Each structure stands twice: as C-alpha cells, then as structure tokens.
Amino acid sequence: MDLDLRKLRYFVTVAEELHFGRAAERLHIAQPVLSRQIRALEDELKVQLFVRDKRATALTAAGRQLLEDARPLLASAGAAQRRVTQAAKGPQTFTIGFMPGITVTPAVRALTAQYPDLTVELLRTSWVDQTEVLRDGRADVSIVRLPIDQQGLTVRPLFDEPRVAMLPADHRLAGKPVIRIEDLAHDHLLQPPDAVPEWRDVAVELREGKTGRLPVFHSVEEKLEHVAIGNGVSVLPLSTARFYSRPDVVRVPIEDIGPNHVHLAWSAARRSRIVYAFADLAAGLTWT
C-alpha cells in the first residue's frame, strides 16, 4: 500500500491541533471533508488513529507512532520538491544554514572561489530548526551545535569551543574570573536542562520540582533580555556570547563544563559534489 501524502498532511494537522474544526481551518477545507479523509486513512492502515468524544480528540498508540513517522516523511517529500524546483530554475543555488555566533564568511569565500558561478545563500538557524532546515530542504548543509538528532544525516566535526555562563550584571557571581557549575545550583536556567546536563546534576530547582514552564525563545537576543532583567541565567558557546555582548549581561567562564561541539551536517541521501566539496573546505578551515 502506498501512503497518500495529502492524507498524511491532514493527519499531522489534526494530530497537532487535536481538534478537527481547528485543523480544517488550518487546511482551508470543510470539516466533513477532513473527517472523511482521516477515516479513509484509518481504513487503508486498518488501525484507529484518533479517539473522539464530545469533549476531546486524542491520539491512539497507533496515531502517536504514525505522527512520529509522518513528519520526517513529509519533510523529505518537501525537500525533494524544493530541490527539483531549484534544479529546474538554475543557476544553481547553495544554501548554508548556521547557528548564532558562527562566522561562515571564510567558508563561503572558499566555496565561491572554487565554484564562481554558484549563488550562495545563508540561513540563520536556531536550536529548534538547525536540522529541520536539512530535512525540509531549506538548506543544503547546516553548521550545527550538538546535541542533535542525527538520524538520516551525515555529520562531520568542525571545531569545539568553551561554554560560558551569561549572568545579569548585578549577579552575585558577576566579575568572578571563573566559576564552577555548582555555583549556579541555586539559579534558574533559561534553557532546557538537557542542554546543560552538568547543571542538571546540581540544580536545586530540579530537586525541588520548581522549574515551571520555560518560555519559548526564538533568538539569543530574547534569551539575553531575560538574563538582563534577572529572570535567570544561561549557558552559551563562547563565540555566541562574544557576538551578542551587551553591558547589562556579563559572561563568566565555567571551568568544569564540557565544550560545545560544532559540526557540519547534511542529508545522508544527498549525493551532491558541491556538498562534498564544501564539507572538505569547511574541515580545512580554522574556525576559532
């Protein structure tokens, strides 16, 4: 049986909304049409994907599994469509994703020197989408900061760099030449604890269950605004901290925390000579 990508898109939208009416609005189709498409998908798969009653819509175990599998399938299909469209347009364009604080100019110059007719575009990414831009075809390669989900990707190391604590200027530790991660045990971390596992091991708020819900930050600038007004602290790679320096936020080295690992990543399905050429060029550069 071949999966219908349109039905998969319908399914993912309903799974994200858990409400057929809102999902139909997002898809710009009538709700009865959406319901029929989901029933048709369930018939094809011979499973129930949703449990519905008058109060709520919920995913079944089969629905949760399909959601996990459907997103990368749809992203791969979208990536293929973008690449085909781009190939038909010409001249060839090469898009490089990069995380905040990383300077890609030397790598771009090296690539365009080797391919003078190539149009290079740059796409700044974030912790949320640094690999998604590869899966959905927005970028040909992405300079990423680990950890990432490496499934379906080829990953090559570029460099490591220290991480530092970002503190409000009036913080008790501001001005210290160096600190230990345990010095931040009583502070609120403005990022997911898994991003700084060393802090997780000592954090008082985690032991007491007082973390609350983290705000969603769409940029480093937003995170540093929260640091500056005293809502918490953050741990950033040194290059990012230097790039976004400001007088009301100070950076302090942390002596007992591991470095941030910066890698180049691209889709493992890609067989592009330009991707391989860029990977070789990037690996030969001095990044720090």
Side-chain angles (χ1 to χ4, degrees):
M1 181 196 70
D2 295 327
L3 283 173
D4 184 330
L5 293 180
R6 182 183 62 178
K7 291 193 185 84
L8 274 184
R9 281 193 289 271
Y10 289 173
F11 162 76
V12 169
T13 305
V14 177
E16 290 174 345
E17 294 290 346
L18 290 178
H19 190 284
F20 275 74
R22 290 195 297 269
E25 290 179 4
R26 272 181 58 184
L27 293 164
H28 304 292
I29 62 174
Q31 183 174 335
V33 173
L34 177 59
S35 297
R36 285 196 298 271
Q37 292 295 316
I38 296 300
R39 283 197 298 271
L41 180 60
E42 290 177 324
D43 290 343
E44 291 169 7
L45 295 174
K46 297 180 173 56
V47 296
Q48 184 177 1
L49 300 172
F50 295 99
V51 177
R52 300 173 64 182
D53 59 32
K54 293 182 178 179
R55 292 178 298 176
T57 298
L59 284 164
T60 64
R64 290 192 294 272
Q65 182 61 57
L66 182 59
L67 181 60
E68 181 179 333
D69 293 333
R71 282 173 167 153
L73 276 175
L74 292 173
S76 295
Q81 183 177 4
R82 286 187 179 94
R83 288 194 292 268
V84 169
T85 301
Q86 186 59 51
K89 286 180 178 178
Q92 194 164 16
T93 299
F94 190 78
T95 301
I96 302 169
F98 66 100
M99 285 286 283
I102 297 175
T103 301
V104 296
T105 307
V108 173
R109 286 177 173 168
L111 183 64
T112 53
Q114 188 168 331
Y115 295 93
D117 296 329
L118 185 67
T119 299
V120 176
E121 296 182 351
L122 300 176
L123 176 64
R124 201 190 83 159
T125 60
S126 68
W127 285 105
V128 176
D129 66 357
Q130 60 175 336
T131 58
E132 291 307 308
V133 297
L134 299 172
R135 303 185 197 281
D136 65 18
R138 281 178 286 164
D140 295 284
V141 297
S142 185
I143 301 172
V144 301
R145 296 189 184 276
L146 300 191
I148 59 169
D149 176 7
Q150 298 187 24
Q151 183 176 0
L153 301 177
T154 299
V155 178
R156 185 176 295 185
L158 293 179
F159 64 94
D160 293 344
E161 63 172 317
R163 291 185 290 169
V164 297
M166 304 301 289
L167 313 173
D170 58 355
H171 192 276
R172 69 185 187 284
L173 300 174
K176 292 278 189 180
V178 65
I179 63 172
R180 298 179 61 83
I181 193 63
E182 64 187 20
D183 295 328
L184 300 175
H186 290 272
D187 287 278
H188 173 59
L189 188 70
L190 291 168
Q191 58 205 105
D194 288 343
V196 191
E198 300 92 341
W199 178 84
R200 173 186 280 281
D201 294 337
V202 300
V204 171
E205 69 177 21
L206 291 183
R207 290 202 303 269
E208 297 179 350
K210 297 179 179 179
T211 54
R213 185 175 180 180
L214 277 174
V216 177
F217 299 113
H218 299 285
S219 66
V220 177
E221 294 93 331
E222 289 181 21
K223 186 180 295 184
L224 293 183
E225 285 290 342
H226 283 266
V227 171
I229 62 178
N231 286 345
V233 301
S234 182
V235 175
L236 294 180
L238 179 58
S239 64
T240 306
R242 285 173 173 165
F243 191 85
Y244 292 94
S245 62
R246 46 187 291 174
D248 51 0
V249 174
V250 299
R251 64 176 186 265
V252 180
I254 309 172
E255 67 178 5
D256 58 344
I257 192 172
N260 176 240
H261 304 293
V262 178
H263 285 51
L264 179 69
W266 65 91
S267 171
R270 295 295 305 276
R271 297 292 183 269
S272 165
R273 60 186 174 85
I274 300 179
V275 168
Y276 296 142
F278 182 79
D280 291 339
L281 291 169
L285 293 174
T286 300
W287 288 84
T288 57

